[in-house]
Amino acid sequence: MAQNTYKKQNKSSTKSFKFNLDFFNDRKFHLAVGMFLLLTAFFLLVSFVSYLITGKEDQSVVEAFLQTNVKASGQEVQNWFGTLGAITAHYFIFLWFGLAALLIPPFLFLVGHRIIWRKRTLSLTKSFGFTAFYLLWLSTFIGYFMISSDEVSAWGFLSGGAGFELAIIFDSLMGWGTMLFLIFLFLVFNMYFFDITQIPVVDDVVVKFKARLEGLLARKPKAETETEDDKSTADEDIATEDEVDTTGADGSLDFILKQVKEEVEQEEQASSEPNTEEPKKPTPEKPTPPPANVPTFDLGSTDEAEKEEEAPKEVESWSLDKKPEPRKAQPKEDLELSIEIPEEDGSKEEAKPEFSIPVDIPEDEEKRVEEMENYDPTLDLPRYHYPTPELLIDYPQRDIQVSKDELEQNKDKIVETLINFKIGISSIKATIGPTVTLYEIVPEAGVKISKIKNLEDDIALSLAALGIRIIAPIPGRGTIGIEVPNKNREMVDVKSVITTEKFMKSDKDLPIVLGKTISNEVYVTDLAKMPHLLMAGATGQGKSVGLNLIIASLIYKKHPSQLKFVMVDPKKVELTLFNKLERHFLAKLPDSEEAIITDTSKVVNTLNSLCIEMDNRYDLLKDAGCRNLKEYNKKFMNRRLNPKKGHRYLPYIVLIIDELADLMMTAGKEVETPIARLAQLARAIGIHLIVATQRPSVNVITGIIKANFPARLSFRVTSKIDSRTILDTGGADQLVGMGDMLLSLGSDLIRLQCAFVDTPEVDRVCEYVGDQPGYDDAYLLPEFIGDSDGSEVGGVDLSERDALFADAAKVIVMHQQGSTSLIQRKLKLGYNRAGRLIDQLEAAGIVGPFEGSKAREVLVPDEYALEQLLNEIDQKY
């Protein structure tokens, strides 16, 4: 038998310490302090406002307070809070800070509000710094103007005594320079407090001047073949029309432009040289330095909330004092609940990582020149800038944590439920996540795991939880996990995961960030290693947000020359935001007007076009002697493949289908076959699929499709059958929604909280990319010519219709059953003629395709529509 874990305490030796600690940690003491601060804030505010109205009448009473009876003073004073209010306001306003004292009540109210309601509205540290600075600065600023005033005694409350004395000291030291010094302090403090790093008006002027200068420098001389001596002679003797227009009476503009051009070239050369302080971000395929415009992100401007989030939290453990009567040899009061708050991604030492990969500068000049001669695909768009984290919303940090009371209550209910079913526990530990808390229990020896697994509903009933999930056992730990949803869940915003060093410095081929795990770690995976992803989830559970997060993370990490998207959106509204990326990241058919496919009839052509692209790429890999896309692109960039033989740089292609169920209903086998081909063969040549659906049923996610999607991602679904269909196991029906999801990678099942990316954030990122210079058009896929004319199916010519064609059509529409035997019975025909009639009806669009033992679908709803269709066929043939 496993020995029980006991936690013994010497109550007599720690009695006094516990009394003091409990007194200061008591919630009632906190409420008393908070209410005192709120009342103090109200008292000061009313006293200060009253002093501004009645201060002159009360000043004589306050100054003679010590020589006057308290009762007499109270009758003479005019302040709304009596003598105490008048004295307090006199000190704070008249003797100390003046009007700036009005900043004190709001700060006290903020502190009291935080203590009582435990809600974070504003940072207390920043609020204290703001209040302290402006108390001194505003009183000194007003006092400087009161120095030369004749009514200092009458209006002294404006600056206060402290501010007036400080102004006199500064005036004695610097004279009128005091005003410049105060303005300097004001600007510097606000720049640091509000994180102001640029002046918009000045930036607009600089951008316009730079654009104008680039336009002037872009002009080329007419004769490029002349020597420099001939050009200088020609410039001295002859003035071109452009020079006459730009210089006018002054002919020195040409000389000025030459000097400016030389300076610009020197600056560009200096900016293009490798800098060890801010290394540039190279392309992952080769070690050569990237273009000068590739940005490096610096987290130096992260606020205090982000720094607190990155700091590792303490690991606490305590024993519970609540002791119900034991029912087994293992009493509940002896169990120690070990609370483990997992560390955030990052540490204090790594609070300011630079999002760039250091580039090794070759020491040998010859080697450096040889590397620079390699092909660089990013030079197609040399001025492209990666999106910046400033485009994302910076949500305020919220102190949403699972309280100790909630953990203790859940622990007691779990242990009590297990004891009721005669199951003993050796130990229990809790790991707090953003959405759920994982309770790991170690059962006593001899307890069957299946017995605990069957108590899932009973534990959920005792906890009154939305839905719990039992992991029995947790792989690699030797414990049983019980995931319980938190009462107050934490929102994971996209900026907090995008700006982490783990993602921005990732060297994966197609890195995507999905959110945070149950242990608060940012989860980054590689789409190229998946290699395809199948997503499912009921309506409103976060499926579209997950797609937007995957697309945004790829845009943040990849250059337009390295990645292309093929987007299929039958719902027509989910992916329309990415239309602005057409000339950068999207791919389409040559004759297509829109890059994002919303018409179901064009999906089949697009999928077959991707199959042709796949076959063409395999031919290129075969000629190059490479096994995958990464090897082929590396060989091409090293100039080891001849472009004249058809070789070219091949970008990754990601096919995104937002709703597979709609395509399977309308196209069926025509969609299933190319998707299955791509899923089976396309991983080696850089084509990857992300397929999402609301209905993970077997007729949508067929066996052929499912077998080639080893990576499955499921949000909350409505039934256990759907969960088993998408994940091959239960659990997706027990999720709590709003981005809570399960990721299956082979044998691993990981619970994640999807990061929230709002529509305005996606719109800003797309506008930032779309406003930059791009390609002339979207990436063109191979042309695919399908059956554009529906008059012939399997060699059927409607111009040679059977004499009973119209009668057979009426029988089929009237009975709404596309069956060959029905035509045989009603028209008294043989099987061969009835089969030819059904083929002609299919070619005319009256019945659907062959579906095995099932009757064909009738596509015409009534006889009136049939008459119109027959008239059109008669006119055409």
Side-chain angles (χ1 to χ4, degrees), residues 65-219:
F65 172 72
L66 297 178
Q67 290 81 24
T68 310
N69 192 344
V70 176
K71 184 178 179 181
S73 300
Q75 294 175 353
E76 296 179 9
V77 79
Q78 299 295 324
N79 193 283
W80 298 339
F81 267 122
T83 306
L84 184 60
I87 294 175
T88 304
H90 176 76
Y91 273 90
F92 275 92
I93 295 181
F94 187 80
L95 295 181
W96 292 344
F97 305 114
L99 288 178
L102 292 173
L103 296 172
I104 298 176
F107 174 72
L108 295 179
F109 178 82
L110 182 65
V111 178
H113 181 272
R114 173 72 68 84
I115 294 176
I116 293 179
W117 284 281
R118 294 179 176 179
K119 291 184 178 180
R120 179 188 179 95
T121 54
L122 295 174
S123 174
L124 293 182
T125 306
K126 287 189 173 182
S127 301
F128 175 78
F130 182 88
T131 304
F133 173 79
Y134 276 102
L135 275 177
L136 297 177
W137 184 89
L138 188 59
S139 59
T140 307
F141 183 78
I142 299 175
Y144 179 75
F145 290 98
M146 300 297 298
I147 294 177
S148 58
S149 176
D150 297 334
E151 300 181 357
V152 176
S153 59
W155 299 97
F157 69 92
L158 293 176
S159 65
F164 186 76
E165 293 297 330
L166 285 175
I168 293 177
I169 294 174
F170 282 123
D171 185 66
S172 301
L173 292 174
M174 294 180 285
W176 63 269
T178 302
M179 181 56 62
L180 297 178
F181 179 69
L182 291 176
I183 294 175
F184 171 76
L185 289 179
F186 175 79
L187 295 176
V188 171
F189 176 80
N190 284 281
M191 282 192 297
Y192 278 95
F193 187 82
F194 295 105
D195 194 18
I196 300 174
T197 58
Q198 59 185 3
I199 304 176
V201 178
V202 178
D203 289 347
D204 293 341
V205 174
V206 172
V207 170
K208 291 180 180 179
F209 175 75
K210 185 177 180 181
R212 177 62 178 169
L213 187 61
E214 289 178 354
L216 293 175
L217 295 178
R219 298 181 178 177

Side-chain angles (χ1 to χ4, degrees), residues 374-442:
N374 291 343
Y375 174 75
D376 188 358
T378 61
L379 294 180
D380 293 346
L381 297 177
R383 296 185 180 181
Y384 175 78
H385 294 274
Y386 288 79
T388 60
E390 286 73 18
L391 299 171
L392 306 175
I393 299 176
D394 191 5
Y395 290 94
Q397 180 69 18
R398 296 184 298 174
D399 293 336
I400 299 179
Q401 296 181 355
V402 181
S403 62
K404 293 183 179 179
D405 295 336
E406 181 180 349
L407 292 173
E408 292 172 353
Q409 292 175 4
N410 291 340
K411 175 259 177 183
D412 292 339
K413 291 177 182 179
I414 291 173
V415 175
E416 184 178 356
T417 303
L418 295 176
I419 289 179
N420 290 337
F421 290 92
K422 299 180 180 179
I423 297 175
I425 301 174
S426 299
S427 65
I428 182 170
K429 183 178 72 171
T431 303
I432 302 173
T435 305
V436 297
T437 299
L438 175 64
Y439 294 86
E440 296 184 53
I441 60 176
V442 178

Side-chain angles (χ1 to χ4, degrees), residues 469 475 523 525 529-534 706-713 724 726-729 742-750:
R469 177 170 166 263
Y523 186 82
T525 185
K529 298 291 180 63
M530 284 186 174
H532 311 294
L533 179 62
L534 187 62
K706 187 177 177 182
N708 296 286
F709 283 81
R712 324 273 180 74
L713 183 63
R724 292 192 183 99
I726 182 68
L727 297 177
D728 294 331
T729 184
L742 288 173
L743 176 63
S744 174
L745 296 173
S747 60
D748 297 333
L749 193 64
I750 306 169

Side-chain angles (χ1 to χ4, degrees), residues 281 297-299 302 310 344-358 389 495-508 511 513 522-524 557:
K281 176 183 172 183
F297 301 104
D298 188 5
L299 285 186
T302 53
E310 292 179 356
E344 296 287 344
D345 191 79
S347 60
K348 292 184 179 179
E349 291 78 4
E350 299 176 349
K352 296 183 179 180
E354 293 184 358
F355 295 146
S356 59
I357 303 175
K495 188 173 183 179
S496 65
V497 296
I498 286 285
T499 56
T500 55
E501 183 179 1
K502 186 175 183 180
F503 173 72
M504 296 306 293
K505 286 193 174 183
S506 174
D507 57 351
K508 296 179 172 59
V513 58
V522 176
Y523 186 82
V524 180
K557 285 291 291 181

